[in-house]
Amino acid sequence: ALFQGCGLVKFADVKDPNAPPRTGQVRFDTLEQANAALGLTGTILDGHEIAIRVHAGSKDHTKLQVYNVPPSMAWQELKDFFTQAGQTPAFCDVTSGSSTAAEVRYETAAVAQMAANTLNGSILGGATITVTLDVSSQDNTKLMVANVPAGIEWQELKDHFKQCGVVAFVKTAASPGKGGGKGKGDTMQQMQAQMQFMMQAMGGAYGGGAYGGGAYGGGGGWYGGGW
């Protein structure tokens, strides 16, 4: 209403600086460009240290995921960031950065305990994750992982946790459960309920559509040179 006196307003949005970090996806024309863009990981954008990884589903390794993107940053600004660094992406999109929960299981209780001690507070995708033993695990081999950044896939989570030992099972919000194939595991709703209970007990709280919300969906993405 404030700007209508100057003419027809086609778009308006309010950016919340206190919102959780977002996740970006960028694709490059060549592997050389993508490899150069990977070198920008660790860059500080508006106070956020971004982490850049090859997208787990990219067969040619030209599609990257950008974690911990500032909540106020739109796709065009992220595209400009890479362009100014000398690597213009062929596609760029930014999606909601709401964190989620995940489940990890090991073969033995000893390894699970070591992982809880070692990886709690570690950095994954630019975010600090919380790792705790699942209080409902009868054999103490099951861990609950909180504050997992949006866009992290099961393989990336498994790679992060295998530094402590062989991972038997991994489940994220984006996957039904993979890794070692040790049963079907709990439903995502059960995982979230367990995580909420754990966070309440600890006295804390933790809180992509590359194509659907991007250029093809008519949203905030960009493809090719037409935008």
Side-chain angles (χ1 to χ4, degrees):
L2 177 64
F3 291 91
Q4 285 181 344
C6 297
L8 178 64
V9 177
K10 291 188 176 181
F11 178 81
D13 190 16
V14 177
K15 298 180 179 180
D16 181 5
N18 297 319
R22 311 181 76 187
T23 300
Q25 295 187 6
V26 292
R27 186 189 296 278
F28 294 91
D29 289 324
T30 67
L31 180 59
E32 290 73 22
Q33 287 179 308
N35 286 336
L38 285 171
L40 297 173
T41 191
T43 302
I44 305 298
L45 291 181
D46 294 339
H48 290 69
E49 182 177 343
I50 62 171
I52 307 174
R53 303 285 186 271
V54 176
H55 192 285
S58 178
K59 295 182 179 180
D60 59 4
H61 291 186
T62 60
K63 182 179 179 180
L64 309 178
Q65 284 189 284
V66 187
Y67 301 106
N68 208 34
V69 175
S72 61
M73 181 166 285
W75 69 267
Q76 182 67 54
E77 296 169 287
L78 187 62
K79 169 183 173 287
D80 291 343
F81 162 72
F82 282 101
T83 298
Q84 291 169 6
Q87 307 300 331
T88 300
F91 173 86
C92 183
D93 192 21
V94 177
T95 59
S96 172
S98 299
S99 60
T100 185
E103 172 190 330
V104 176
R105 297 182 189 175
Y106 287 97
E107 294 285 353
T108 67
V111 176
Q113 182 64 65
M114 180 177 67
N117 295 337
T118 304
L119 300 178
N120 182 42
S122 61
I123 304 299
L124 177 63
T128 302
I129 60 173
T130 300
V131 183
T132 56
L133 287 171
D134 185 352
V135 295
S136 68
S137 177
Q138 296 181 355
D139 59 2
N140 294 323
T141 62
K142 180 179 174 182
L143 302 175
M144 297 303 292
V145 188
N147 204 36
V148 178
I152 290 288
E153 301 189 14
W154 72 269
Q155 184 63 55
E156 295 170 276
L157 193 66
K158 179 180 178 182
D159 290 343
H160 185 73
F161 278 82
K162 72 180 182 181
Q163 59 186 290
C164 292
V166 177
V167 177
F169 182 87
V170 175
K171 180 192 291 183
T172 67
S175 68
K178 298 187 178 183
K182 294 285 183 178
K184 295 182 179 179
D186 301 323
T187 64
M188 200 61 210
Q189 289 78 9
Q190 289 173 318
M191 288 174 57
Q192 292 171 340
Q194 291 170 354
M195 185 58 63
Q196 183 178 13
F197 172 80
M198 292 166 59
M199 292 299 102
Q200 290 175 345
M202 295 170 60
Y206 288 85
Y211 291 91
Y216 292 131
W222 174 88
Y223 191 91
W227 283 66

